[in-house]
Amino acid sequence: MAVVLIGALLFVAGVVYMAGAALRRGRLSDPAPVRAAPDRSKLATPGPTLEPRRRGLAFLGLSQNWPGLLMMAAGVILLLSVVVL
């Protein structure tokens, strides 16, 4: 039973870590970095918006999310090890 709880906690902690990593990147409504002048040509609409024209897939990259993915993988392995045994 303890293995199941640890596996579930690791999986949830990985998801929370990855969500926190995405939120630490800054506000979605301000797509330009603070130190650079905002480039309004990349926006779908003028002014600050939640829908930038080109967001990119950097938030899915391994460089920011590897600890969360590692925690999730360890949790899945622990959960599957209980099912197999």
Side-chain angles (χ1 to χ4, degrees):
M1 184 67 171
V3 175
V4 172
L5 290 175
I6 292 171
L9 285 175
L10 279 172
F11 188 83
V12 171
V15 171
V16 169
Y17 180 86
M18 289 174 49
L23 291 175
R24 282 191 298 268
R25 286 194 186 85
R27 294 176 46 180
L28 291 175
S29 61
D30 189 14
V34 176
R35 60 185 173 271
D39 184 12
R40 300 289 181 202
S41 65
K42 292 183 181 177
L43 297 176
T45 59
T49 178
L50 291 175
E51 301 295 332
R53 184 171 293 172
R54 294 186 58 191
R55 169 70 185 216
L57 295 176
F59 66 96
L60 294 176
L62 288 175
S63 62
Q64 294 90 9
N65 293 326
W66 70 267
L69 291 171
L70 186 67
M71 284 188 274
M72 290 175 61
V76 166
I77 289 171
L78 286 175
L79 289 171
L80 289 177
S81 70
V82 173
V83 172
V84 173
L85 296 178

